[in-house]
Amino acid sequence: MKVLITGGAGFIGSNFVHYWRKNHPQDEIVVLDKLTYAGNLENLVQVKDQIQFIKGDICDEATVEQAMANVDTVVHFAAESHVDRSILEPDAFIKTNVLGTHVLLKAVLKHKVKRFHHVSTDEVFGSIALGSKEKWTETSPYNPRSPYSASKAASDHLVRAYFHTYGLPATISNCANNIGPYMFPEKLIPLAITNLLEGKKVPIYKPGNQVREWLYVEDHCSGIEAVLQKGRAGETYFIGPNNPELTNLEVIQKVLVLMKAGDNMIEYVKDRPGHDQKYALDHSKITQELGWRPKFGLDEALRLTVEWYRRNEDWWRRVKSGEYQKYYQQQYG
Ligand code: NAD
Ligand code: DAU
């Protein structure tokens, strides 16, 4: 089987490339990635001779045409993915996440690709009130509230439209917050770990009581694998952890303990505009229908993530130089 992985040089995409190489060594892998600030060929260095890498933009029809040749399956990760950047500069989010997905869908249809898997997010469903026990299901209404989540919602709608209108064999997964190796240190957990390793404080958006669900990235990869192998075309599956509900502050306190740092290393900073309070997924459909369940609990996921950043200081120090400095200044002052 020939698998095209878009965004395969980013955080989750590169973890998926490694996962697929290990578990499906007979498959041919093509990675299409624009190498934006979030894309990094160092993430693929161990497999560089075993995959085909195409540097290119999913918005560019000619490049996508070339990448799609003889492909059986597309796993679509490529996106602008950071909410705070979408608030500062939304244009790239609309272009890549909406138009780029549309360019891919047209090519998938033309090349009669057997499966298009679209990687999406829980954020498309909006925000749950703190204290509420509500959990979203795959049929919950969409209510995106940031330019990022609105662009992902639009892409989900396009994928479903192509399934219903043209019979394009598509599946969608909406996943919770991931953590693990190769995560760009603009997101809360790797930002916290790398700041602490640099002796800097962890910025928590006031008041720190927002709730996220944290999934180890390898579990996300195995969830997508289950959908590719056993999921039905036209269906959507949630992928999420089985962890107790924790606020951002409580999760950061776990990181502080792992890194032997005190609460004095927390710095409360101004809140994100339109900050979604809480996400919570009911992922019983993928468990019941496909037999998937997460393998990693939160404590193990955090421990493995902290260990990875400790061992890979060269990686994150390089990532935190250059363009990152400009963004950090703009975001945190
Ligand atoms: P990331 O920002 O780390 O990586 C995105 C990758 O896409 C980068 O390699 C980048 O170079 C590439 N890319 C961006 N624009 C492109 C374009 N126009 N053409 C080709 N490549 C382009 O993102 P991530 O955190 O790995 O997220 C991957 C996917 O998973 C996204 O679709 C995101 O919405 C979704 N998702 C992420 C999370 C999470 O916690 N990070 C959770 C749920 C869903
Ligand atoms: O839920 C899935 C989503 O998770 C993905 O679709 C996105 O691509 C991914 O970026 C992530 O979005 P979040 O906004 O939830 O992740 P982030 O790490 O940016 O923030 C997590 C929580 O921590 C959120 O409540 C905001 C807060 N936060 C974040 C940063 C960067 C802080 O308190 N301080 C910070 O400096």
Side-chain angles (χ1 to χ4, degrees):
M1 182 165 88
K2 186 170 178 183
V3 186
L4 171 63
I5 300 173
T6 72
F11 162 45
I12 307 173
S14 63
N15 276 280
F16 187 80
V17 170
H18 292 293
Y19 182 91
W20 206 262
R21 271 303 309 156
K22 191 168 152 216
N23 294 291
H24 305 273
Q26 71 287 359
D27 286 354
E28 226 179 299
I29 294 179
V30 182
V31 170
L32 171 60
D33 197 297
K34 187 180 175 183
L35 297 181
T36 66
Y37 78 94
N40 187 346
L41 277 180
E42 283 186 49
N43 302 0
L44 297 174
V45 79
Q46 298 103 313
V47 292
K48 71 176 182 358
D49 299 328
Q50 296 144 30
I51 62 170
Q52 184 193 346
F53 180 80
I54 301 173
K55 181 177 184 307
D57 190 332
I58 56 165
C59 302
D60 178 27
E61 303 208 5
T63 306
V64 168
E65 271 292 308
Q66 181 211 339
M68 206 61 77
N70 304 315
V71 162
D72 301 291
T73 297
V74 175
V75 188
H76 175 34
F77 293 94
E80 290 291 338
S81 72
H82 190 40
V83 174
D84 293 316
R85 289 190 190 248
S86 85
I87 295 166
L88 294 171
E89 286 176 24
D91 290 22
F93 287 73
I94 308 307
K95 190 154 185 272
T96 287
N97 300 359
V98 186
L99 298 178
T101 301
H102 188 231
V103 169
L104 285 172
L105 288 167
K106 286 193 292 180
V108 162
L109 202 58
K110 181 172 166 193
H111 287 262
K112 299 188 171 51
V113 171
K114 297 185 193 80
R115 173 65 71 85
F116 178 79
H117 182 72
H118 180 59
V119 179
S120 192
T121 169
D122 53 7
E123 302 203 10
V124 296
F125 298 99
S127 177
I128 295 171
L130 293 176
S132 162
K133 293 280 167 243
E134 181 189 354
K135 281 183 186 251
W136 292 314
T137 69
E138 285 83 352
T139 55
S140 293
Y142 274 44
N143 185 22
R145 292 153 36 103
S146 73
Y148 164 68
S149 54
S151 67
K152 290 297 290 187
S155 66
D156 291 11
H157 291 319
L158 277 171
V159 174
R160 284 196 191 95
Y162 268 68
F163 167 76
H164 289 295
T165 309
Y166 306 110
L168 185 139
T171 41
I172 298 178
S173 52
N174 298 85
C175 190
N177 288 58
N178 285 216
I179 50 174
Y182 304 116
M183 188 172 195
F184 198 88
E186 65 191 349
K187 312 253 167 94
L188 179 65
I189 300 296
L191 175 65
I193 297 169
T194 56
N195 270 16
L196 290 168
L197 289 170
E198 289 179 296
K200 292 188 192 147
K201 295 192 180 196
V202 178
I204 294 193
Y205 297 156
K206 284 176 196 160
N209 61 352
Q210 302 86 3
V211 173
R212 295 292 185 268
E213 298 188 298
W214 303 96
L215 182 78
Y216 195 57
V217 63
E218 193 179 317
D219 278 332
H220 190 176
C221 296
S222 68
I224 294 172
E225 178 187 46
V227 176
L228 289 174
Q229 291 180 330
K230 295 177 265 178
R232 288 172 293 140
E235 291 294 316
T236 296
Y237 299 88
F238 282 179
I239 304 177
N242 284 330
N243 297 326
E245 180 175 321
L246 291 177
T247 64
N248 288 342
L249 176 60
E250 288 167 327
V251 173
I252 288 305
Q253 280 167 333
K254 279 180 176 288
V255 174
L256 290 172
V257 170
L258 279 169
M259 301 198 61
K260 300 188 176 27
D263 276 6
N264 62 320
M265 293 307 281
I266 290 173
E267 179 182 27
Y268 288 95
V269 298
K270 76 171 164 29
D271 200 4
R272 170 186 284 175
H275 196 162
D276 292 339
Q277 297 299 289
K278 175 178 169 180
Y279 305 141
L281 296 178
D282 171 354
H283 64 263
S284 49
K285 177 177 173 182
I286 191 172
T287 302
Q288 281 161 18
E289 279 191 22
L290 311 185
W292 176 88
R293 47 179 53 80
K295 285 201 188 108
F296 298 85
L298 178 62
D299 288 338
E300 191 181 7
L302 285 173
R303 183 181 58 76
L304 290 170
T305 306
V306 167
E307 275 171 15
W308 189 86
Y309 282 86
R310 279 195 199 281
R311 281 200 315 272
N312 290 278
E313 191 167 332
D314 286 354
W315 182 91
W316 61 259
R317 281 203 187 274
R318 269 195 289 277
V319 166
K320 273 189 139 179
S321 63
E323 188 271 352
Y324 183 90
Q325 298 292 338
K326 196 172 126 247
Y327 163 74
Y328 200 88
Q329 186 60 30
Q330 198 178 0
Q331 178 65 18
Y332 299 98

